[in-house]
Amino acid sequence: MTVLATGPGTAERPALPAAVPLAITSAGVVSAAGLGLESLGGVLDSGGIGHSAPVGDDADDYPPLGVRSVEGFRLRDHVGRKGTRNLDRLTGFGLVAAKLALASAPAGAATDRTGVVVTTSTGSTQSLMDLAGDTLLQERPYLVNPSRFPNTVLNCCAGQIAIWNGLRGANVTLAAGQASGMNAFRHARMVLSLGRADRLVVGGVEELSAPLAWGWHVSGTLAEGTPIGEGAAAFVVTTSEAARAGGAGIAAEVLGVEVGFHPASRGDRAVAVAEHVRRALDRSGVAPGDVTEVSPGSTGLVGVERAERRGISLALGGLPPVRDVTRAVGQCYSTAGAMQVAGLLAAWRGDPADRPRLALVTAVGHDGNIGALVLREGGGA
């Protein structure tokens, strides 16, 4: 790996301070491919796809749109029946992904110093629709079931993850569209740097429903044949320094992370993507030629996918091998970034290499949000 020289920079590109590396020590995934990194890795390795039919009571109400859904999911099968009656599907995904991640995380960390950073778009769209419908259809509006109201709050999933696992560190929910995953890791770095927690459960969660599918369908923002997906990915994260000091194994390190906002009205998005990629690489202290593969996040997004890939090529001097999880698990929107990272970890685990690989993870949304993240396999230098 080529380490960039530190120095004063140039007039065109001033030197950027190095980022504090974050260590991913374990991961948990719930996707259309199944539960766990092994299931996801198996589907990616075979070139297959996850479950591709709608599920649930509203399965017949979906528009003619491809989906990647989590088949046969029942929260009580994974955490027991107690306390699950009023939890929605989205929260269930998050709880199981977090449980899987925490179960394989290094032991000994204090729960009061463990926090949560979760990304989502609106929380559970289905829960919002159900509660709104009840207020109109019940004989009296106030006869809605109050125990279902918490599911309509954006930070419900993050709160439940903390409650079920006794985590009392910082608890954060972020919504930044397609770039939510990049924002989650960037925020995690800030929380750890400020001492608000010693480790974090970082991830994203989304669920499918007929109303959400219709929203995608009528928006015209998806290219023909692009499936939408659901699920959750969660990672136990701390600083690389702390992980090494505690003797923890490191699955991967998050090096530079850059996020920004560049709406179409500001001009060529590809140029903005390239700039974010360059900044992320600069903060990581590595050269463009060190990137062994890329995981783009806007696959299937009309008017965005091409700009993202062109921006990557501008920054790297070409497009390295692409590892895309969208075909397997669907376009997961605000949890796409977490799924991209999970896909890389799963693929790397199933295909060992002679030396650590370095991946670029990117995201570009129609709303103008942009993100770039540099992920290094294992804990090597």
Side-chain angles (χ1 to χ4, degrees), residues 46-372:
S46 67
I49 62 175
H51 186 254
S52 57
V55 297
D57 296 337
D58 62 353
D60 294 334
D61 299 328
Y62 275 62
L65 188 68
V67 301
R68 298 289 185 267
S69 58
V70 180
E71 184 182 17
F73 181 83
R74 297 194 307 174
L75 178 58
R76 66 190 184 193
D77 293 341
H78 306 284
V79 301
R81 184 185 299 269
K82 184 178 180 181
T84 63
R85 179 179 179 182
N86 294 305
L87 296 180
D88 59 18
R89 184 174 174 85
L90 179 141
T91 301
F93 288 161
L95 285 174
V96 174
K99 178 184 178 181
L100 292 172
L102 288 166
S104 55
T111 56
D112 62 343
R113 296 289 300 165
T114 303
V116 181
V117 180
V118 169
T119 66
T120 184
S121 53
T122 60
S124 172
T125 301
Q126 188 62 58
S127 293
L128 288 165
M129 294 292 293
D130 289 344
L131 193 69
D134 284 349
T135 63
L136 297 173
L137 298 176
Q138 294 280 8
E139 185 175 349
R140 293 182 177 87
Y142 53 79
L143 292 179
V144 299
N145 183 353
S147 63
R148 294 170 61 185
F149 176 78
N151 294 329
T152 68
V153 181
L154 189 69
N155 63 349
C156 176
C157 182
Q160 289 293 340
I161 290 173
I163 291 168
W164 279 74
N165 296 286
L167 310 180
R168 295 187 290 276
N171 194 279
V172 180
T173 300
L174 299 173
Q178 204 74 35
S180 294
M182 317 301 154
N183 278 272
F185 281 107
R186 187 172 185 271
H187 194 88
R189 174 174 287 140
M190 182 181 69
V191 170
L192 293 168
S193 298
L194 292 174
R196 297 290 302 278
D198 293 333
R199 70 171 185 172
L200 295 166
V201 177
V202 180
V205 59
E206 288 286 2
E207 67 170 0
L208 286 179
S209 63
L212 182 67
W214 275 105
W216 276 109
H217 184 61
V218 302
S219 70
T221 56
L222 279 179
E224 185 176 355
T226 303
I228 55 174
E230 66 176 355
F235 313 94
V236 175
V237 175
T238 186
T239 64
S240 295
E241 181 182 8
R244 291 191 176 96
I250 298 177
E253 286 183 290
V254 177
L255 303 179
V257 183
E258 287 294 309
V259 297
F261 183 70
H262 188 91
S265 59
R266 291 187 184 175
D268 193 346
R269 274 198 182 134
V271 174
V273 172
E275 178 59 22
H276 282 75
V277 170
R278 293 187 187 108
R279 290 174 63 88
L281 290 172
D282 287 352
R283 290 192 187 278
S284 303
V286 297
D290 293 325
V291 176
T292 58
E293 57 192 297
V294 297
S295 179
S298 63
T299 299
L301 299 186
V302 174
V304 177
E305 178 180 355
R306 184 177 299 178
E308 179 183 38
R309 300 201 181 201
R310 189 158 58 89
I312 294 171
S313 295
L314 286 172
L316 301 183
L319 190 65
V322 173
R323 195 180 297 277
D324 197 339
V325 301
T326 303
R327 181 175 181 271
V329 303
Q331 177 53 259
C332 296
Y333 195 47
S334 70
T335 196
M339 285 294 180
Q340 289 164 255
V341 172
L344 288 164
L345 295 182
W348 290 344
R349 177 180 291 188
D351 181 25
D354 295 335
R355 60 177 183 172
R357 286 161 283 200
L358 191 80
L360 174 68
V361 182
T362 59
V364 186
H366 287 106
D367 56 6
N369 279 299
I370 295 176

